[in-house]
Amino acid sequence: MSAPVPDGALLVTGGAGFIGANFVLEWLAGNHGSVVTLDALTYAGNLASLASVADDPRHTFVHGDIADRECVARLLREHRVRAIVHFAAESHVDRSIAGPDAFVKTNVLGSFALLETARAYLGTLGQAEREAFRFLQVSTDEVYGSLGPDDPPFSETTAFDPRSPYSASKAAADHLASAAWHTYGLPVLTTHCSNNYGPFQFPEKLIPLMIRNARRGERLPVYGDGQQVRDWLHVSDHCSALRAVLTRAAPGARYTIGGSSERRNLDVVRTLCALLDELAPRAGGQSYATQIAFVTDRPGHDRRYAIDQRRIASDLGWQPQVRFEQGLRDTVCWYLEHEEWVRSVESGEYRRWLDMHYANRAGTAAGASGSGPSAAASPGAPRGEEPRAAAATPPGSAAMPASREGHGR
Ligand code: NAD
Ligand code: DAU
């Protein structure tokens, strides 16, 4: 920020989730100032991730909902908040297919309420604080849709083309944030990053799910033909990019952020198996790769994501620092050393999700050789193709508890 207010706090929404927790821990470790974490503690929010700062006087945890305008207005006022970093969301694509309502409720309506509360707060600030204030909308590359193998990567000027309820809800929030900047002058910054990985990621996402299942002797469910491509960004690189945007970007700016690490899903899973074979070999000596199974594809599965990050490199001098192979090794080591954390986040809701989502998903074992996918598998459609029809299953619902401050759950 151009004129930082020294004692104003940062309000981090969704700070008990994967990226939010990493951001809060790094922010405090780097002595950048005090933080108020606001989190509704849905199935994806875990206070265990913030345990190391539970007694830190610079950190306040508030159990509450971004849609609770009274609660948010009070926090902004009482903590003289100088910036909002908005992570809070329903974030899992498969869950959005099974039950889109929660995504519209939190990602669209919740984000809108937060923007409105921030706008009202901005109106109460003096000129210096007003000029320093920022609202950082943490979005995703998924709003840009799906790329074919030879399409140019997503950039800040790529047209939105969301294809899942999740990405549609994120795109809606991004449009509302953009409108708040253009119409009301709320100093919004927007980032669109690729797939994050690293410590504290909830084990419903590809990498931690595969590590968890491998260790439990369960199948490693690869959707479709496993040839979908994701760009992998280590969460610490994402956090450093967000700090750069927050402190140096001009209001209204938008940045795409990636890890320069495009990989096919099947290759990621095979690499994970090889790392586990080395670091925690199976009794009996068989490779974890024998647990790979190709299962029914995700409906409307985006085929490829890729990021052009020349703008953030040239404007802010930011580049990812973590090589994917090293980052993946470190991540596997972290999960092997923190199996207790994984167990602690596996609530009954999580097990119900696994049962509902995977139990009836047809599939065939790939075996150690990693042979081709089953007939049940179908590749996702590249940009421009029609979406496939799919059966949806009713979702589990996430609790939205009332606000309460402190570190207890
Ligand atoms: P996550 O699911 O791990 O965490 C989300 C957090 O938000 C949880 O702690 C949850 O309790 C909280 N939350 C949900 N609804 C809330 C509400 N109404 N009020 C307050 N808190 C609420 O998500 P994540 O992977 O850490 O993603 C964080 C943000 O980054 C999301 O906005 C997501 O769209 C975006 N993003 C994620 C990735 C990724 O790879 N994980 C990539 C690009 C963008
Ligand atoms: O690109 C950014 C997005 O990355 C974020 O906006 C989302 O919040 C985040 O969840 C992530 O979305 P993906 O759908 O790409 O992530 P996920 O980990 O669910 O899946 C990664 C790839 O692996 C995807 O192509 C689907 C595939 N997959 C996933 C699971 C859970 C499987 O093959 N099997 C699985 O069991």
Side-chain angles (χ1 to χ4, degrees):
M1 282 154 278
S2 50
V5 181
D7 55 351
L10 209 63
L11 177 64
V12 176
T13 73
F18 162 48
I19 306 173
N22 278 281
F23 183 86
V24 169
L25 296 177
E26 287 194 17
W27 186 265
L28 292 172
N31 254 322
H32 299 291
S34 57
V35 176
V36 179
T37 298
L38 173 67
D39 198 295
L41 296 179
T42 68
Y43 77 92
N46 298 292
L47 277 180
S49 309
L50 294 172
S52 63
V53 293
D55 298 322
D56 190 323
R58 300 167 303 165
H59 184 237
T60 307
F61 178 79
V62 180
H63 185 191
D65 194 317
I66 51 168
D68 182 344
R69 296 185 192 208
E70 211 176 294
C71 166
V72 174
R74 182 176 59 80
L75 294 177
L76 293 173
R77 204 173 50 241
E78 288 180 358
H79 295 270
R80 299 182 56 212
V81 167
R82 58 175 159 137
I84 298 175
V85 185
H86 179 33
F87 293 103
E90 291 292 335
S91 70
H92 192 38
V93 174
D94 291 319
R95 287 185 191 252
S96 84
I97 295 166
D101 296 53
F103 288 72
V104 173
K105 185 177 174 199
T106 293
N107 301 0
V108 185
L109 300 178
S111 296
F112 175 64
L114 188 68
L115 285 162
E116 284 291 276
T117 312
R119 180 161 78 88
Y121 171 67
L122 192 71
T124 68
L125 298 179
Q127 197 189 339
E129 291 170 311
R130 206 183 151 83
E131 281 173 13
F133 187 78
R134 298 289 182 270
F135 185 109
L136 175 46
Q137 163 72 4
V138 181
S139 187
T140 170
D141 59 356
E142 298 200 13
V143 298
Y144 298 119
S146 180
L147 296 169
D150 301 320
D151 287 335
F154 302 134
S155 77
E156 292 81 358
T157 56
T158 305
F160 281 18
D161 182 22
R163 296 153 51 100
S164 73
Y166 162 70
S167 52
S169 69
K170 291 294 290 185
D174 296 351
H175 284 312
L176 290 167
S178 177
W181 158 242
H182 287 290
T183 307
Y184 305 118
L186 184 73
V188 169
L189 304 160
T190 307
T191 55
H192 301 275
C193 71
S194 57
N195 285 60
N196 283 220
Y197 70 104
F200 299 115
Q201 186 167 32
F202 194 76
E204 65 188 352
K205 307 284 164 56
L206 180 75
I207 288 174
L209 179 84
M210 293 297 166
I211 298 171
R212 173 203 178 273
N213 284 12
R215 295 287 291 154
R216 284 166 175 71
E218 297 171 19
R219 69 177 180 169
L220 310 180
V222 173
Y223 296 164
D225 61 3
Q227 299 302 305
Q228 305 81 6
V229 173
R230 295 292 181 266
D231 170 60
W232 293 97
L233 171 67
H234 194 274
V235 67
S236 65
D237 275 332
H238 185 199
C239 290
S240 75
L242 294 176
R243 289 194 299 275
V245 170
L246 193 60
T247 52
R248 303 204 291 279
R254 176 184 300 279
Y255 288 103
T256 47
I257 302 167
S260 303
S261 298
E262 282 185 57
R263 299 286 186 281
R264 290 186 182 83
N265 290 341
L266 185 56
D267 294 337
V268 172
V269 176
R270 285 184 176 145
T271 307
L272 282 171
C273 290
L275 284 166
L276 285 166
D277 287 343
E278 176 195 329
L279 296 166
R282 264 172 51 162
Q286 268 201 318
S287 170
Y288 288 100
T290 58
Q291 292 168 226
I292 294 174
F294 292 99
V295 301
T296 311
D297 207 353
R298 172 186 282 174
H301 197 169
D302 289 340
R303 195 66 176 164
R304 174 179 164 240
Y305 304 142
I307 300 278
D308 174 348
Q309 54 206 17
R310 280 174 293 180
R311 183 184 285 183
I312 189 168
S314 68
D315 285 6
L316 307 180
W318 179 88
Q319 295 274 7
Q321 301 298 315
V322 181
R323 271 185 52 252
F324 182 65
E325 282 63 30
Q326 186 60 48
L328 200 61
R329 176 178 285 274
D330 294 346
T331 301
V332 170
C333 289
W334 189 89
Y335 277 92
L336 290 175
E337 286 160 14
H338 293 82
E339 291 191 330
E340 190 45 48
W341 178 88
V342 176
R343 265 189 293 277
S344 78
V345 305
E346 288 188 7
S347 63
E349 196 283 338
Y350 173 70
R351 281 187 289 276
R352 275 193 298 282
W353 164 255
L354 290 187
D355 286 347
M356 183 196 77
H357 185 64
Y358 291 102
N360 299 318
R361 234 178 163 86
T364 48
S369 64
S371 55
S374 72
S378 60
R383 204 170 182 80
E385 277 184 28
E386 287 303 309
R388 257 175 293 284
T393 322
S397 62
M400 288 291 170
S403 300
R404 115 180 118 75
E405 285 193 33
H407 258 277
R409 190 160 189 164

